[in-house]
Amino acid sequence: MPDAPIKTLGLNHFFGSGDARKQAMFDINMDITRGSLTILMGPSGSGKTTLLTLIGCLRDVQDGSVQVLGQEVRGASEAMLVSLRRRLGFIFQAHNLHESLTATQNVLMGLQVHGGGDPVRQRTAAHHILDLLGLADRRDYLPGNLSGGQKQRVAVARALVSNPEIILADEPTAALDKESGHNVVKMLKTLGDKRGTTTVMVTHDPRILEMADRIITLEDGRIVSDTHP
Amino acid sequence: MSWLLTLLFRRLPIGWLQLTHSRGRFIAAVSGVAFANLLVFMQLGIMGAMNTSTVAPYSLIRTDIILSSEDGNTLTDAGHIPRARMFQALGVPGVATAMPLYIGNLPFTLEDGSSVSLLSFGVDIAKPGFTSADIAADLDQLSIENTALLDKGTRGMPDFVIKGLEAGTRYSFETGGNTLTTIGTMDIGGGFLADGMLVMSDQTFLRVFPKRSSGAPNHILIQTEDGVSTDTVITRLQAALPGGNLRIQSVEGSADNDLTFMATERPTGIIFGFGVFMGILVGLVIVYQVLSTDVADHLREYATFKAMGYGHRFFLGIVFEEAIILAIFGFVPGLLVSMGLYAGLVAATGLPVAMQVSRAFLVFLGTLIACSLSGAIATRRLANADPADLF
Ligand SMILES: Nc1ncnc2c1ncn2[C@@H]1O[C@H](COP(=O)(O)OP(=O)(O)O)[C@@H](O)[C@H]1O
Ligand SMILES: [Mg+2]
């Protein structure tokens, strides 16, 4: 296990082509320590999401280097990217649950991506994480019958159930009330401490900032501050 | 169902859950497939009945080789051939015996005023070896003038006629100034060709068809000697008989030609072929519509799965899973309704429409292929699921 599960070097990124070509990331250099909780901040349009998708192997790296879990992402094969993504957990701003699957089944999707496995154990693991997130009595509900906060917690459960080495979260608490938002982040923080899970999270919530190991602020695609509170 | 599929796929049956989640769309899709199946089954059923009808008269004769005129189309829609060819053929080595066969359509009016057309065969009653065994057994009785055997499946005949014949009561009717007496039954099945069939002696035939001459039968049936191959004799006949307006075929070749002719040169055959094509097209379009809408509706979920690390094969799997589910769930009601309609057709028309296991299997296979094909086209939309757009 490398000490810096996420590493960028001279990372630039451009959107559009020809006259419309516009640079969105400028020379991003950072090393993120294993087991830490890093908060990305910055005004809207500053490039937080773009950076997260680059780290998450969801967007082609055009210029510079991104290393995730010791593997260079730039120019990596599709198969390599797929296997890297399996070791990450994503929590999106929108819950992105599958509306035809129950809470348990949605969580199972996070486990079955690894293929095979004992179905009974998988089910137990899915139930366990749903219980932890306070959804014990909502296991077999379809997303359509859950509140916004409950859906977001199912999405968190789906991201956490396979014990990812890195969690990338983009404003995961936006759809939650203060209390449960705080709980989710506390859980992520505990995971980091106990299992060494590395978390990078975009948020504006000041109460969460207190829990952060590191706060990186972006502006117009550049890192303008990088603190360890 | 969901449990079973989970065991089968070793993953959640996303396709099944997705399809059954929007029940209205699922029902529409399944009905579409069932309807397409129904279309295809009905066309094939009628086509099958046509084929059965076309070759049914062959069950009446026993022969190796058939000489016919080139003007003819099928066994029962034949031109005339000089009887002199028979005598020439008898001189060819390998030819054992020969018999002229006369065929004509006999219209007659029943007592209730309805008219029936009976396909009539005139045979040489001295040569029972040329007719099927059960007809050959009754051939002696046909030596009496103006007698005939009537097919049991004849349409439009009053019930008592067939029942009476089976119990030994003869039935006579007038046709063109002659009285024809049916003295027994046979089992051929007319189908599309005619309302029914008659077998009579060539003498009787020439009497009820006064315009026909004994010198110009429709076919000459030839049996070969044991130990000589049919093909050899055909080759010899081709060399020995004067060419021009003469077709020399094995009996199997003749039946095959009849089927090909009915399927490709008759408007009915072409129409039914087109019907099958339309059925397949309807099915393809419906399944493609449903599957591609389904993919489009779930692009966000698929993009999420992609971000989670699911590869392209997983998504192909979902689409094909859906295609196969639609194929199976559409085929079963399509088959059942078709069998019901077949039974209705038989009751209403007496046509030999029947479901064969091979046909059901073939249509199921075709449904699977068509659904998978639609699925394959629909998967092109998967490329639009871009996980970078998710955050
Ligand atoms: N798909 C895209 N195509 C073109 N421009 C984009 C795209 N995504 C983001 N951008 C641009 O890149 C910049 C950074 O966007 P983003 O990373 O979404 O910022 P943030 O998440 O901090 O609000 C913005 O100027 C935005 O307009
Ligand atoms: Mg953003």
Side-chain angles (χ1 to χ4, degrees), chain A residues 165-187:
Chain A
E165 291 158 70
I166 297 173
I167 289 171
L168 302 173
D170 199 350
E171 304 193 39
T173 55
L176 301 180
D177 57 85
K178 281 229 157 82
E179 180 66 29
S180 45
H182 205 239
N183 280 344
V184 164
V185 179
K186 244 200 212 143
M187 243 190 94

Side-chain angles (χ1 to χ4, degrees), chain B residues 60 119 121 132 134-135 138 148-154 162 165-166 184-189 196-200:
Chain B
L60 193 125
L119 196 57
F121 295 82
S132 69
D134 64 325
I135 294 173
D138 291 338
L149 300 175
L150 178 68
D151 183 35
K152 272 187 214 169
T154 300
I162 308 284
L165 281 174
E166 282 175 337
T185 61
M186 54 185 183
D187 197 1
I188 310 280
M197 292 192 200
L198 290 171
V199 169
M200 57 193 76

Side-chain angles (χ1 to χ4, degrees), chain B residues 308-323:
Chain B
M308 287 163 62
Y310 284 95
H312 194 56
R313 256 202 297 174
F314 169 78
F315 301 104
L316 293 185
I318 294 180
V319 177
F320 282 110
E321 177 190 330
E322 292 185 330

Side-chain angles (χ1 to χ4, degrees), chain A residues 71-85:
Chain A
Q71 169 68 40
E72 177 58 55
V73 173
R74 185 171 172 198
S77 68
E78 181 62 25
M80 174 55 78
L81 294 178
V82 167
S83 79
L84 269 179
R85 283 180 205 142

Side-chain angles (χ1 to χ4, degrees), chain A residues 43-50 93 170-171 202 204, chain B residues 391:
Chain A
S44 171
S46 58
K48 306 180 294 291
T49 297
T50 306
Q93 190 166 357
D170 199 350
E171 304 193 39
V202 175
H204 299 289
Chain B
F391 280 114

